[in-house]
Amino acid sequence: IKDFIRRNNINSQIKDFQKRGIYEIEAIKKVKYIMGRTDWDEACTRQINPEAKYFHCDEMLRESFYGGGWYADKCEKHTVFSSQYAYPLKGFHWLVEAISIVRQFYPDVKVYVPGKNILRDDFKSRLSLSYYDKYVVKLIRKYGVERNISFLGQLGEQEMYDRYLKANVFVSASSIENSSNSVSEAMLLGVPTVSSDVGGIKSLLVHGEEGFLYQYNAPYMLAECICRIFGDTSLAQKFSEAARKHAGITHNKEIIVGDLINIYKEIQNGGK
């Protein structure tokens, strides 16, 4: 009902995205300089506007994520943390299917995700569900994983930080990304990470060395990656240490500030 009143159903969202894409291409064609941070955004913008000069500059993360770190002996075993569910592009529906497979090997598996509890069955809650909410609920009930998924409500920065560190695995199941802040936050904290291999994620995480990448629409492979980390503490610790080291370089504040200043100086001098 909410989506119907707001004219915000899935078909409307598709049309809105198509329109935004046209505007974005027009904007990119008109500029002389482009700043990005992954191989993916460089490739896309170069093909749209080969005359523009591309500058690489990584991005800072929220302050609290630069402190602390994940430890295998302190996490809640057989738990998964995912940063959001309500946006279809984030692929929570794939994670639901993957967890139904993981549960066959780890019956106590638990997924924690921020957001309202869409499994509440009172009249008011049902009225507030979006089309996508209803789809996710249908999948959860289809696979019988109601007890394996916990919706945490709205979380602040410190609560997100705490939840990352409690997780055995962090999962990003998106169907499209550039550089995911959630993946970056997990890596900076050293949380063993599994991410769909989309967009610019390869610029953040090296498969098999710092975490796992998988084909975004293959939930059975997502399940396999989760199970491998659950079952191998030494692998989880290896990923944790390597990811923290990589993310510490990618999101180094001093380097980013220096790069940004140099970019503006070069633009001021006409790109020379």
Side-chain angles (χ1 to χ4, degrees):
I1 293 176
K2 180 181 71 174
D3 283 353
F4 178 77
I5 293 172
R6 295 169 60 190
R7 297 182 180 179
N8 191 38
N9 60 29
I10 296 297
N11 288 329
S12 297
Q13 291 177 28
I14 290 171
K15 291 177 182 177
D16 187 46
F17 260 84
Q18 291 170 338
K19 189 182 296 183
R20 290 183 189 181
I22 293 169
Y23 294 156
E24 187 172 10
I25 289 170
E26 289 178 356
I28 291 171
K29 285 181 176 179
K30 292 179 179 179
V31 300
K32 292 175 63 178
Y33 307 106
I34 295 169
M35 186 169 69
R37 53 190 181 269
T38 69
D39 293 340
W40 181 76
D41 68 39
E42 182 176 6
C44 291
T45 55
R46 191 181 304 280
Q47 290 173 33
I48 294 169
N49 184 353
E51 301 302 319
K53 182 161 186 176
Y54 180 91
F55 296 99
H56 180 98
C57 186
D58 291 308
E59 60 179 346
M60 295 184 195
L61 302 177
R62 292 180 286 183
E63 186 63 33
S64 62
F65 290 90
Y66 287 88
W70 181 91
Y71 296 97
D73 59 348
K74 293 183 179 179
C75 73
E76 185 180 338
K77 298 299 182 185
H78 305 159
T79 60
V80 172
F81 180 57
S82 188
S83 58
Q84 59 174 293
Y85 81 88
Y87 195 30
L89 289 179
K90 297 300 179 181
F92 191 73
H93 50 288
W94 295 121
L95 179 55
V96 171
E97 187 171 345
I99 289 304
S100 72
I101 301 171
V102 174
R103 193 181 62 165
Q104 298 174 29
F105 304 93
Y106 297 93
D108 61 338
V109 63
K110 191 83 170 183
V111 175
Y112 294 98
V113 60
K116 67 181 180 182
N117 184 3
I118 58 177
L119 293 174
R120 290 180 61 181
D121 203 27
D122 57 279
F123 179 71
K124 185 177 180 181
S125 297
R126 291 199 302 271
L127 278 180
S128 69
L129 295 179
S130 68
Y131 283 101
Y132 184 66
D133 290 339
K134 293 181 72 174
Y135 176 64
V136 171
V137 170
K138 183 178 179 180
L139 286 179
I140 290 172
R141 290 177 176 156
K142 172 185 175 182
Y143 293 114
V145 292
E146 293 93 333
R147 294 185 179 182
N148 302 96
I149 297 176
S150 179
F151 295 93
L152 302 173
Q154 188 172 353
L155 300 184
E157 180 176 336
Q158 187 60 46
E159 293 168 311
M160 288 286 288
Y161 172 89
D162 293 339
R163 183 49 67 181
Y164 272 110
L165 295 183
K166 288 179 182 177
N168 199 162
V169 175
F170 172 77
V171 167
S172 172
S174 298
S175 57
I176 187 170
E177 288 282 355
N178 183 20
S179 63
S180 164
N181 280 5
S182 297
V183 169
S184 294
E185 288 171 349
M187 291 179 65
L188 195 58
L189 291 174
V191 186
T193 299
V194 178
S195 175
S196 51
D197 186 5
V198 294
I201 298 296
K202 271 199 179 83
S203 296
L204 303 178
L205 185 151
V206 179
H207 174 69
E209 295 181 17
E210 302 164 352
F212 284 132
L213 300 175
Y214 71 96
Q215 181 181 319
Y216 85 95
N217 60 350
Y220 58 93
M221 286 305 299
L222 171 55
E224 173 67 12
C225 293
I226 293 171
C227 287
R228 285 185 63 183
I229 295 174
F230 280 179
D232 191 339
T233 301
S234 62
L235 178 66
Q237 197 64 54
K238 171 196 164 187
F239 283 169
S240 174
E241 293 168 6
R244 285 194 72 187
K245 183 177 180 180
H246 186 172
I249 297 170
T250 303
H251 305 288
N252 182 292
K253 291 183 283 188
E254 287 75 21
I255 293 175
I256 292 168
V257 169
D259 288 345
L260 189 59
I261 290 172
N262 288 334
I263 288 169
Y264 277 109
K265 284 181 177 178
E266 190 169 335
I267 291 172
Q268 192 175 29
N269 291 328
K272 299 177 182 178

